[in-house]
C-alpha cells in the first residue's frame, strides 16, 4: 500500500505525457525525414545517462514543431534517432520533470504514428515522504530490447504513525522491460520488483540511516 502511494506521488511529480498508439492524421514523409536527419543516429547499445551527458545535439520542440511533428511533443527534446528500417522511423525524445525522462516515438513509412511511449518507470523523482533513489538508468540494446532499473529506499510519511521507531523502510530494485518490434510497435511490460527488503527504521541494519 505504501509503495502504491509513493509511486502515485512520484508519477504526479513528473510532467504528464500523453500516451498514444497512432495519430489520426499521417504526417508528410518529407517532414519526418527532415526531423530524422536533424540529429545523431543512435549507436546501440545505449545507456541513457551516459548518452545525455555526452550528447549535446538536442532539439527542443516548439509550438511550430508541435504543429509539424504531431501533438504531445511541445517542450520535449529530440535527442537521437534509431537506425532506419524498411518498416518505420524511430525517434528518442526526452522530457523534463524531477529528472529527464526518455520517450520512444515511431512512425510507419506512410507517416502514421505507431507508438509514443514513456511508461518506463525511469527516474529518481521527488516525494512528499522520505525517499532516496540510489540509481536509475535506461538501456537500449542492439536488438532493440530495452529496460529500466531503479534502486530506491522509501520510508513512511511521518504523519502516518505516532511512533517513528516502528516505521518500516522499504528497499526496492524495480525493472521494466520492453521491445521495439520489427513493425515499430513499442511494447512495454509491467514493472517488476526483482529485489525487495524491509527493515524497522530504527534498526542498525537500515542502510537509509547512513544517508542522514
Amino acid at each position: 500500500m505504501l509503495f502504491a502511494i509513493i509511486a502515485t506521488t512520484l508519477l504526479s511529480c513528473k510532467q504528464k505525457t500523453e500516451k498514444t498508439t497512432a495519430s489520426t492524421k499521417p504526417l508528410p514523409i518529407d517532414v519526418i525525414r527532415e526531423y530524422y536527419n536533424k540529429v545523431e543516429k543512435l549507436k546501440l547499445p545505449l545507456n541513457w545517462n551516459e548518452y545525455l551527458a555526452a550528447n549535446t545535439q538536442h532539439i527542443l520542440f516548439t509550438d511550430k514543431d508541435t504543429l509539424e511533428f504531431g501533438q504531445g511533443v511541445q517542450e520535449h527534446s529530440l535527442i537521437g534517432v534509431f537506425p532506419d528500417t524498411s518498416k518505420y522511423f524511430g525517434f528518442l525524445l526526452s522530457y523534463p520533470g524531477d529528472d529527464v525522462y526518455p520517450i520512444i516515438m515511431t512512425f510507419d513509412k506512410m507517416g502514421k504514428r505507431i507508438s509514443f511511449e514513456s511508461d518506463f518507470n525511469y527516474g529518481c523523482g521527488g516525494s512528499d515522504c522520505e525517499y532516496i533513489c540510489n540509481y536509475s538508468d535506461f538501456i537500449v540494446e542492439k536488438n532493440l530490447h530495452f529496460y529500466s532499473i531503479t534502486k530506491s529506499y522509501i520510508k513512511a510519511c511521518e504523519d502516518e504513525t505516532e511512533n517513528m521507531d516502528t516505521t518500516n523502510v522499504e528497499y526496492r530494485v524495480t525493472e521494466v522491460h520492453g521491445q521495439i518490434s520489427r513493425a515499430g510497435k513499442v511494447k512495454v511490460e509491467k514493472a517488476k520488483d526483482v529485489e525487495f527488503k524491509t527493515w524497522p527504521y530504527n534498526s542498525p541494519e537500515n542502510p537509509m540511516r547512513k544517508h542522514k
Side-chain angles (χ1 to χ4, degrees):
M1 179 64 181
L2 171 61
F3 181 71
I5 295 172
I6 298 295
T8 301
T9 305
L10 292 177
L11 288 173
S12 66
C13 292
K14 298 181 181 180
Q15 176 177 324
K16 293 184 179 179
T17 304
E18 179 186 3
K19 185 193 297 186
T20 60
T21 56
S23 58
T24 56
K25 184 179 180 181
L27 297 179
I29 288 298
D30 58 341
V31 171
I32 294 177
R33 288 192 182 278
E34 178 185 353
Y35 282 94
Y36 188 86
N37 292 324
K38 281 184 177 181
V39 291
E40 183 177 83
K41 306 301 183 290
L42 299 172
K43 297 179 177 62
L44 303 178
L46 178 140
N47 175 295
W48 176 254
N49 291 337
E50 292 178 359
Y51 187 77
L52 284 182
N55 178 32
T56 58
Q57 190 185 12
H58 301 175
I59 298 175
L60 178 64
F61 282 126
T62 63
D63 290 338
K64 174 178 177 293
D65 298 302
T66 300
L67 292 174
E68 290 184 350
F69 201 67
Q71 295 298 315
V73 301
Q74 186 177 2
E75 297 183 2
H76 295 42
S77 292
L78 175 59
I79 66 171
V81 294
F82 293 98
D84 195 4
T85 74
S86 62
K87 299 290 187 181
Y88 68 91
F89 296 97
F91 297 84
L92 184 63
L93 289 72
S94 68
Y95 70 102
D98 294 326
D99 211 320
V100 180
Y101 305 102
I103 296 173
I104 297 177
M105 186 179 190
T106 57
F107 294 89
D108 68 19
K109 292 297 181 171
M110 299 299 292
K112 185 177 181 180
R113 184 186 292 189
I114 304 170
S115 293
F116 185 81
E117 185 61 63
S118 62
D119 191 15
F120 304 129
N121 199 52
Y122 166 87
C124 287
S127 170
D128 292 336
C129 302
E130 191 167 351
Y131 172 83
I132 295 176
C133 180
N134 284 27
Y135 173 83
S136 189
D137 209 346
F138 180 72
I139 310 295
V140 184
E141 299 175 336
K142 287 185 177 181
N143 62 359
L144 298 180
H145 169 265
F146 55 82
Y147 65 94
S148 71
I149 180 170
T150 301
K151 301 178 181 180
S152 59
Y153 297 97
I154 299 174
K155 181 176 73 66
C157 293
E158 293 188 11
D159 59 358
E160 290 186 0
T161 178
E162 295 180 357
N163 183 1
M164 291 305 295
D165 289 342
T166 63
T167 300
N168 289 333
V169 170
E170 296 180 353
Y171 170 71
R172 294 177 184 269
V173 179
T174 305
E175 292 185 0
V176 173
H177 290 255
Q179 179 78 42
I180 305 176
S181 74
R182 292 183 178 180
K185 176 70 174 177
V186 181
K187 302 176 181 179
V188 184
E189 300 174 5
K190 291 183 178 180
K192 294 181 180 180
D193 288 334
V194 296
E195 186 177 350
F196 175 78
K197 296 178 182 179
T198 183
W199 305 269
Y201 186 72
N202 63 344
S203 169
E205 297 180 357
N206 171 19
M208 198 172 188
R209 299 182 68 183
K210 299 177 182 180
H211 295 279
K212 294 293 185 181

